[in-house]
Amino acid sequence: MQMISVKGLVKDFGSFRALNGLDMQVKAGEIYGFIGQNGAGKTTTMNILAGLSRPAQGECNVNGRDVTKLTHPGDLNIGYLPEDPKFYPWMTAQETLVYLSGVRKTGHIGDILRWTGLMEAQDRRVGGFSRGMKQRLGIGAALIRNPQLLILDEPSSALDPEGRSEVLHLIKELKNMGKTIVVSTHILDDVERVCDTVGMINAGKMMFEKPLAQLQKESAQPLFDITPVSSVRPEILDEMKMLPGVVSLTKTAKAFTIKAVDKEVSVSVMGFLAEHGIVIESFSLRKARLEDLFLQEVNGK
Amino acid sequence: MRGEIIKELRYAVRSGRLLILFASFLFFALLTPVMLKVVLPMVLSGQLAGEAAQGIGGLTDMTQLDCIRNYMDDVLQIGTIIIAFTLCGLTASEIRDHTWVLPICAGKRFGRMLGAKLLVFGTLMTVIPVLALLADYGYSGLLFGFEIGVLPILYGGVLQGIYVLFLLSCLIMWGVLMKRPIPAGFMTLATAFGIHFVSSLLNIQSWTPSGLLAQAQKLTPSLASLLLPLSVTIVVMVFMITLTLSRLRRMEWNVRGTH
């Protein structure tokens, strides 16, 4: 069952096209990691998914509702955590949750306070909370209507390692409760730690959308980081790309990285380098990570 | 709507808005009788000597009624400025600071959120001018001698309160349109003083909310002369709130750099 189905989403801010035909599919019960560089269109997408912003074109179905026909964001009945959640600083944590729930203090609010680790701070004003506490309260606020779908925009990006770890732990627990969670982030390590599926946006378009396991399988292919003494001519690099077993070649400022089907390809790569008289400073083998795939997509295949 | 009302009450108390407004109104209510009874004659007699001073002293002979009307005039001018800048963030700050994002996502309705603001601050801003006017009535009565009963004072106070509701509607509307507190405050002042100035110039006060203040200053309850300015004020307020709601429903939220 699809919790989110997005097709050809377009969003303009004046002359700037923030989303350029974005497609996205999120299945029920999964943690979907939405990755991309700053300014790629992550928050714009999250705002549209939460019903806070309207697309110029495209289809967008969230939690069984057509977002383009929505009259009020609250009708989506989802939980949303903005990148920087803003609370009333003069309210306590408990008052905030009671206000957002629209009912008097209930067991559910007590559960949320306990679960987010804010029970002891429930009577403290939010203005005095640390960033991590605000983020946990934000997750609690997103859970106030016990929604099946949670959209979390950069929930851990501004936190210290301890705060990040706490938030990731909460996200994992939410999945265990059967919730569907969409997490946008540019911290790829977080994605590798919690997500089931990864979608990558670049310049307002979805570059890929794959299960994490598949990505990890793909990224299990070895990478050879090669640093030549002097720069290599582009036509030689193009030739190298055609070698058997070479999946891709990415050039950086002083080096280039070859992604290969297996380690045996190193023999033909070394032979090719020797054949063309390319003196190398270093030749190292490493296992690819999500970050390599990300950089590969951002820099172009 | 209970939650929204409690939230606005907490905001009024904890942000110090209630205290500022009450203290400001009370200050002018108590200052006016002292100014007219003690300070003004002293200043004038210091400036002039002998018979001239005595003559001027005669001119400054004030009654309780003069004193109350003087205060009501001050409230129109200074009170409007105080209200405009104390409550200019009522809706503008919510938009600028993105504090409405979580409530909206939690299912809070714009109508209820605005309704709670109008109800809480409307009630407070009706009660405060009435209390301040009663304080002015009591203190001026002690200094000048009691001249009128309490009923006309209550009548005047309530009319002032209704006028303040009009100011609140202005603040709410301009806050949503401008999305920034201080410009919203200035636009409210421009609207209030603009209407007052134009209606005085064209002698059409009864057709504007300013007519309520003119009626309040008369301190003589008359339903016939009140009906027109009251109806006009209610229509204007309904128009402003409808416009505000319509704007809020079309607004995009949590968009970077737009607020």
Side-chain angles (χ1 to χ4, degrees), chain A:
Chain A
M1 184 196 159
Q2 296 290 338
M3 261 295 186
I4 295 176
S5 176
V6 171
K7 207 172 173 188
L9 211 61
V10 173
K11 177 71 184 172
D12 298 318
F13 292 108
S15 59
F16 174 67
R17 179 149 285 191
L19 296 182
N20 191 9
L22 183 93
D23 298 331
M24 186 180 192
Q25 303 292 326
V26 179
K27 289 194 281 284
E30 71 174 354
I31 303 182
Y32 184 101
F34 191 42
I35 61 172
Q37 289 175 300
N38 288 333
K42 295 191 298 293
T43 296
T44 304
T45 308
M46 299 301 248
N47 280 341
I48 293 174
L49 295 180
L52 295 166
S53 185
R54 275 174 292 276
Q57 285 172 43
E59 294 167 21
C60 184
N61 282 286
V62 176
N63 203 20
R65 299 284 305 255
D66 184 351
V67 172
T68 56
K69 290 177 182 154
L70 213 61
T71 52
H72 191 281
D75 294 342
L76 279 177
N77 200 15
I78 60 163
Y80 176 61
L81 173 73
E83 186 179 350
D84 184 12
K86 299 288 186 186
F87 301 97
Y88 299 109
W90 38 268
M91 265 192 188
T92 67
Q94 191 216 90
E95 287 167 356
T96 302
L97 294 178
V98 170
Y99 167 62
L100 292 174
S101 72
V103 293
R104 291 176 204 202
K105 194 185 173 187
T106 60
H108 179 51
I109 288 167
D111 289 345
I112 290 175
L113 286 166
R114 215 176 348 266
W115 187 74
T116 50
L118 293 169
M119 201 58 169
E120 281 181 22
Q122 64 170 322
D123 294 323
R124 274 173 56 194
R125 290 195 184 178
V126 180
F129 275 21
S130 68
R131 184 74 200 261
M133 289 168 87
K134 281 184 186 166
Q135 211 71 355
R136 280 187 279 147
L137 181 61
I139 294 177
L143 284 169
I144 205 76
R145 294 202 291 175
N146 201 14
Q148 280 310 299
L149 172 64
L150 283 136
I151 293 176
L152 313 177
D153 192 4
E154 307 264 5
S156 59
S157 59
L159 303 178
D160 58 22
E162 195 190 348
R164 259 180 66 198
S165 184
E166 282 173 4
V167 167
L168 293 178
H169 176 69
L170 291 180
I171 291 171
K172 274 185 194 167
E173 282 198 20
L174 285 170
K175 181 187 158 65
N176 293 337
M177 291 177 194
K179 313 271 184 204
T180 307
I181 306 144
V182 178
V183 189
S184 89
T185 184
H186 57 258
I187 305 172
L188 302 174
D189 188 42
D190 291 356
V191 175
E192 286 180 314
R193 281 166 71 180
V194 297
C195 294
D196 300 309
T197 302
V198 182
M200 187 193 150
I201 184 174
N202 191 29
K205 270 192 166 176
M206 190 66 87
M207 303 308 285
F208 62 74
E209 199 174 42
K210 292 173 184 172
L212 182 70
Q214 188 188 333
L215 277 173
Q216 280 171 333
K217 199 176 162 190
E218 285 176 17
S219 58
Q221 292 171 324
L223 291 174
F224 305 118
D225 290 322
I226 305 164
T227 311
V229 171
S230 56
S231 62
V232 181
R233 292 203 312 274
E235 57 268 27
I236 292 181
L237 290 178
D238 289 341
E239 216 178 303
M240 209 184 299
K241 275 184 200 170
M242 308 310 287
L243 287 174
V246 172
V247 176
S248 64
L249 188 148
T250 316
K251 196 180 177 317
T252 54
K254 287 182 180 171
F256 54 92
T257 300
I258 289 174
K259 188 177 181 183
V261 288
D262 55 40
K263 290 177 191 171
E264 314 306 319
V265 179
S266 62
V267 178
S268 54
V269 170
M270 294 273 244
F272 181 87
L273 292 171
E275 192 184 313
H276 288 79
I278 298 165
V279 184
I280 57 164
E281 210 166 79
S282 70
F283 188 107
S284 58
L285 170 73
R286 73 183 155 93
K287 194 183 160 195
R289 301 192 68 214
L290 192 56
E291 193 174 331
D292 298 303
L293 285 173
F294 179 85
L295 290 171
Q296 191 178 305
E297 290 294 337
V298 170
N299 298 327
K301 284 180 180 171

Side-chain angles (χ1 to χ4, degrees), chain B:
Chain B
M1 197 158 148
R2 186 178 166 274
E4 286 87 346
I5 291 171
I6 292 172
K7 177 240 158 185
E8 292 305 332
L9 275 171
R10 283 191 178 123
Y11 170 68
V13 175
R14 293 182 187 172
S15 67
R17 268 22 180 214
L18 182 62
L19 187 70
I20 294 168
L21 289 166
F22 187 65
S24 308
F25 273 79
L26 198 65
F27 175 74
F28 285 107
L30 298 178
L31 186 73
T32 311
V34 180
M35 288 292 284
L36 295 179
K37 181 74 180 178
V38 185
V39 181
L40 189 64
M42 264 173 59
V43 170
L44 288 175
S45 61
Q47 297 285 321
L48 303 161
E51 284 177 20
Q54 276 181 340
I56 292 291
L59 286 176
T60 59
D61 272 348
M62 292 274 183
T63 63
Q64 185 194 26
L65 208 56
D66 295 328
C67 182
I68 290 169
R69 283 181 177 146
N70 220 300
Y71 159 71
M72 290 174 101
D73 215 33
D74 286 348
V75 165
L76 166 70
Q77 291 156 18
I78 302 162
T80 302
I81 297 171
I82 292 169
I83 291 168
F85 289 111
T86 308
L87 301 179
C88 60
L90 222 48
T91 49
S93 292
E94 302 263 22
I95 297 168
R96 184 198 58 185
D97 301 338
H98 303 286
T99 44
W100 261 347
V101 172
L102 288 176
I104 290 169
C105 290
K108 298 273 177 205
R109 302 281 148 173
F110 297 119
R112 287 182 172 200
M113 292 196 288
L114 286 190
K117 283 181 190 294
L118 269 175
L119 191 72
V120 169
F121 284 95
T123 307
L124 292 174
M125 294 316 298
T126 307
V127 170
I128 289 172
V130 172
L131 288 177
L133 197 57
L134 282 173
D136 184 71
Y137 166 76
Y139 196 41
S140 61
L142 285 175
L143 292 181
F144 297 99
F146 286 94
E147 207 178 329
I148 51 168
V150 178
L151 208 63
I153 298 301
L154 287 174
Y155 168 78
V158 169
L159 289 191
Q160 273 193 336
I162 297 170
Y163 181 78
V164 172
L165 276 177
F166 158 72
L167 287 182
L168 272 178
S169 307
C170 273
L171 279 169
I172 284 173
M173 182 191 73
W174 284 119
V176 169
L177 295 180
M178 307 297 288
K179 299 175 186 170
R180 281 175 296 161
I182 300 296
F186 275 115
M187 288 308 291
T188 300
L189 286 182
T191 308
F193 289 134
I195 288 175
H196 191 67
F197 176 74
V198 172
S199 63
S200 300
L201 202 71
L202 302 175
N203 203 20
I204 51 163
Q205 276 196 320
S206 301
W207 288 90
T208 67
S210 298
L212 285 177
L213 290 173
Q215 288 299 317
Q217 279 183 329
K218 283 182 186 165
L219 294 171
T220 46
S222 156
L223 191 66
S225 51
L226 183 64
L227 212 58
L228 188 58
L230 188 63
S231 311
V232 170
T233 307
I234 290 169
V235 168
V236 171
M237 278 166 55
V238 168
F239 169 75
M240 287 194 288
I241 296 300
T242 308
L243 183 72
T244 307
L245 280 171
S246 145
R247 182 77 190 88
L248 282 172
R249 283 177 189 138
R250 282 183 287 116
M251 204 175 260
E252 299 209 346
W253 301 91
N254 201 36
V255 180
R256 285 185 194 136
T258 53
H259 300 154

